[in-house]
Amino acid sequence: MAGLSDMIAKEGASLGATQKSFRCLLLAACAAIGVCTGAVEASQLEQFVLPGGTQISWITDHKEHPAKNKFSQQKMTNKENDLMSLRTFVQRCAATAIVFCSAAAAEAEPPERGPMGPRNAARFQSILLRDFRTVKDGKVICYNIGTAAHAFGNLAVLQKHLPEAQVTVWADAPLDASLAGMMRKRFPKVAIVTGSLKDGEATPPGLAEAVKSADLFLISSGNGIASSVAKSLKEFQEITEKPAAAYAIGCDRSQFPILNQLDSASFRDSKSLARAEKSENDRICWAPDAVFDFDCADDVYAEAFLEENSWLPGEFVCCIPGQRATPRWEFFGGPASPRAIQLNEASAAHDQALLREVITYVVRRWRKKVLLCAEQIPEMALLAPLYRSLPEDVAASCAVLPEFWNPAQALGIYRRSAAVFGIEMHSQVMALGNGIPSAVFRHRGFGPKSTMWEDIGVPEWLLEIDDPDSTEKACTIVDDLLSDPVAAREKVRHCRERIDSAAEAAVRMQFRRK
C-alpha cells in the first residue's frame, strides 16, 4: 500500500483541505477495493471523471483482470445514464474500505506519538541539526541576517513537512540575547546544545544526550559544508555510525569527499545540483534555500519604525547595497585581504551610481519612499554615503537604517514594504518567501546561489549589474515590481507554490529511511 499512499498524498497536494480530504477518501476506498481483490497495483490507476467533475484515480486494466474487476465490466458510455451515481459509488467504496481498514487496524499496533503528531517509523524521528556557527566573544551572533535565518528556516521546513520529528540544534556556542529571544518566540520546544566531540565523548552532557538520541545528523541549509561542520560530522559518525544528510546547501567539487559519505543531500540551486550529480552520491535532489521559509517577524519593531518615520505599509521599498567582497576581518579580526580591498574600491563608484539612479527612479516615477538597509554588518558603512549622494528631493523620501538589525526585525520591515531589491541575496529570499516581490542585482562574485531566482521562476527579476545597460534594465525590473502589484504578487504566489512543492518532495526523499 506504500505506493498508493504516496499517490494519495500527491493527488491531494494542490487541493483545498475539504476537497483534498474528500478526493483522497474516494481514492483510498477505490484503491482498497482493488488491493483486497488482488486486481490492481498502483501502476494500473488513471484519472476518471465522476459526475460533477470530481476526478479520482480509476482502475483501468480490464484486459488483464476481466473477471476480478467488476467495476471495469460496466459499460459507461452515456454521461447521464451510464456513469455510476456518485452516491452509490461512495456507499460501495466506503463499505469495502471500512472492512479492509478495520481488518488491518485489528492487527496493527497503535502508532507511537511524537511531539507534534503520530510517528512514522519509515522516517527519521530524532534529528540533530548543525547550525549557528557565527561566533564572536563566545556567543553566536547575527553578523549576516541571511546566515542567521538559515537555522530558523530549516526548522520551519521540518515543522511543516516532518512535524512528527524531534529536532535538536547543535550550535558552535550559546546564542546571543537577540537570537535566543527569536528561538524562544518561534521554536520554544527546540533544544539547543553546544560543545564538541573529543576522544569519542561529547562535552558538555547535553550534547552527549543529543548525539545518543539522534538518528540523523543534518547539515543545515547554507552556502555549503563548513570545515567546523565537516569536523562535527566526522566525529558524529565515528561515535554513532548513524546516517547524515544535508538540506538545501551549495556545492563545489571540493566537498565531494564529504558529500559521498552522506545518506542524502539536497541543493539550493540548479548549478550546485548539477555539480553534485558528478559525485558518487545518488540520493540527491533540489530543495529551495531554507530562508524562503523563515517566518519569524518582529512586528513590534516594524510598527515602531513605521510610526517613527510616518510611513505606511506598502508605500516604501527596501534597498540593500553590497560589496564585491565582504571585509570580515574588519569585524572578526585577522589579516585583511589586499585583493578584496582592491576589488571593493574598484567597483564602489559603479555600484553606488547604479543604486542611486534606481532609488531616484523609484522616488520620482513611482512616488515611493526608500529605506536604505543592510544584510550584513559591513554594509552599514555603505548607507550614509549612498544617502548623501542622492538628489535633495529624493533624499527627502528616504531613510537610513539607524543600527544593524536581526532577521526578525528585517522581516517585519520587508513584509510591510512594496518591494525589496539590491546587491544582496538573502534579504530578497526572505522577502519573496513571505510574499513580497523582490529583485536580485548580482555580480560575478555571487556564485551559483543567484541561480535560485531562475529556479523558482522569476529570472526577469535578476539583474547583471556589470552589463553595460544595467541601470536601464534595473529600472525596467522596478517597473515590473511596482506597476501592477496584483500581477507581481501573483508571480510571487507561483514561486511560493514551486518552493513548497520542491521542499515537500525533498523532505519525502531525504528523511525516509533506506
Side-chain angles (χ1 to χ4, degrees):
M1 289 293 289
L4 295 174
S5 299
D6 291 342
M7 183 172 294
I8 291 167
K10 182 178 180 181
E11 272 290 302
S14 62
L15 300 174
T18 303
Q19 186 181 3
K20 181 190 301 184
S21 299
F22 180 68
R23 183 166 167 183
C24 290
L25 173 61
L26 295 179
L27 176 55
C30 183
I33 295 170
V35 171
C36 284
T37 61
V40 293
E41 299 292 340
S43 60
Q44 297 170 296
L45 301 175
E46 72 172 11
Q47 293 298 308
F48 178 84
V49 182
L50 289 172
T54 302
Q55 290 189 338
I56 65 168
S57 289
W58 186 255
I59 303 165
T60 59
D61 192 358
H62 13 281
K63 291 184 179 179
E64 184 176 352
H65 301 289
K68 293 182 181 179
N69 190 347
K70 296 180 180 179
F71 287 155
S72 67
Q73 297 173 9
Q74 298 182 25
K75 305 293 185 180
M76 297 185 180
T77 56
N78 182 279
K79 181 176 180 181
E80 295 214 12
N81 298 323
D82 293 337
L83 280 173
M84 179 187 300
S85 74
L86 181 58
R87 178 178 299 176
T88 302
F89 173 81
V90 172
Q91 288 173 344
R92 293 181 183 178
C93 286
T96 306
I98 289 170
V99 172
F100 175 83
C101 295
S102 298
E107 298 180 8
E109 293 291 332
E112 181 185 358
R113 295 194 64 83
M116 299 182 67
R119 292 192 182 277
N120 183 343
R123 305 207 288 186
F124 294 109
Q125 301 301 320
S126 180
I127 297 172
L128 185 58
L129 180 68
R130 188 70 172 88
D131 208 323
F132 288 134
R133 297 177 290 97
T134 307
V135 178
K136 185 176 183 181
D137 299 329
K139 295 282 188 178
V140 174
I141 63 163
C142 179
Y143 171 82
N144 179 319
I145 60 173
T147 301
H150 272 112
F152 294 91
N154 226 140
L155 289 168
V157 169
L158 293 173
Q159 185 182 68
K160 182 187 300 183
H161 300 295
L162 197 70
E164 72 271 22
Q166 179 75 50
V167 184
T168 300
V169 180
W170 180 1
D172 275 11
L175 308 190
D176 70 5
S178 175
L179 295 176
M182 289 172 57
M183 281 296 297
R184 285 193 299 270
K185 177 182 178 182
R186 180 62 181 85
F187 300 104
K189 296 182 180 180
V190 172
I192 298 177
V193 297
T194 61
S196 59
L197 304 176
K198 296 179 180 179
D199 301 324
E201 295 184 359
T203 56
L207 177 59
E209 180 58 32
V211 169
K212 180 180 178 181
S213 62
D215 53 21
L216 179 71
F217 178 102
L218 181 61
I219 299 170
S220 183
S221 180
N223 187 48
I225 304 174
S227 58
S228 61
V229 174
K231 181 175 181 292
S232 299
L233 170 62
K234 180 180 178 181
E235 294 170 341
F236 176 85
Q237 291 184 319
E238 287 176 349
I239 293 174
T240 68
E241 298 183 352
K242 295 175 181 178
Y247 183 83
I249 63 171
C251 178
D252 60 58
R253 296 184 66 87
S254 66
Q255 298 174 352
F256 280 11
I258 302 172
L259 177 58
N260 293 338
Q261 300 172 29
L262 299 179
D263 181 77
S264 68
S266 56
F267 299 91
R268 65 183 184 177
D269 61 86
S270 55
K271 286 187 177 180
S272 291
L273 179 59
R275 291 173 181 173
E277 287 174 346
K278 298 176 183 179
S279 73
E280 296 175 9
N281 194 326
D282 60 357
R283 295 192 75 210
I284 61 174
C285 66
W286 172 53
D289 194 300
V291 176
F292 282 115
D293 280 271
F294 177 79
D295 59 2
C296 183
D298 189 336
D299 295 321
V300 174
Y301 172 91
E303 291 296 335
F305 179 87
L306 265 61
E307 182 177 355
E308 181 180 346
N309 289 276
S310 299
W311 288 4
L312 296 174
E315 74 171 12
F316 69 97
V317 302
C318 295
C319 173
I320 304 102
Q323 294 174 293
R324 301 301 177 105
T326 302
R328 291 177 61 88
W329 62 86
E330 294 179 357
F331 187 79
F332 293 102
S337 168
R339 182 177 179 278
I341 293 173
Q342 183 181 13
L343 182 62
N344 287 339
E345 290 177 347
S347 60
H350 169 274
D351 296 353
Q352 184 186 91
L354 170 69
L355 293 180
R356 180 174 63 248
E357 292 301 316
V358 175
I359 292 168
T360 299
Y361 184 74
V362 167
V363 172
R364 290 177 176 172
R365 170 67 180 85
W366 293 108
R367 300 293 186 235
K368 296 289 186 183
K369 297 175 172 55
V370 181
L371 172 62
L372 308 183
C373 46
E375 184 167 306
Q376 45 189 327
I377 288 176
E379 292 165 358
M380 292 296 294
L382 306 178
L383 303 184
L386 177 57
Y387 179 81
R388 290 194 296 267
S389 74
L390 297 172
E392 185 175 350
D393 65 307
V394 175
S397 295
C398 296
V400 175
L401 186 70
E403 59 184 16
F404 192 63
W405 48 11
N406 65 39
Q409 294 166 336
L411 181 59
I413 295 293
Y414 294 159
R415 279 182 173 177
R416 288 160 173 79
S417 70
V420 176
F421 63 85
I423 310 175
E424 268 295 357
M425 186 81 222
H426 278 89
S427 287
Q428 293 92 311
V429 170
M430 192 184 302
L432 189 142
N434 282 267
I436 305 302
S438 302
V440 174
F441 297 173
R442 70 179 175 186
H443 52 73
R444 297 183 186 92
F446 262 57
K449 65 181 180 182
S450 59
T451 311
M452 289 191 277
W453 249 232
E454 297 167 322
D455 297 335
I456 64 172
V458 281
E460 65 271 27
W461 291 350
L462 186 59
L463 174 73
E464 305 285 353
I465 65 174
D466 291 313
D467 284 355
D469 54 352
S470 58
T471 299
E472 180 181 347
K473 289 180 177 177
C475 292
T476 300
I477 291 174
V478 166
D479 287 340
D480 198 32
L481 296 177
L482 299 177
S483 62
D484 188 342
V486 174
R489 294 205 176 221
E490 181 66 10
K491 284 186 180 182
V492 173
R493 187 183 67 80
H494 285 297
C495 291
R496 184 70 250 185
E497 289 178 350
R498 184 171 175 81
I499 291 164
D500 287 338
S501 177
E504 182 180 11
V507 169
R508 188 183 306 119
M509 184 277 284
Q510 289 197 261
F511 298 98
R512 181 175 295 277
R513 300 177 190 271
K514 283 185 177 180

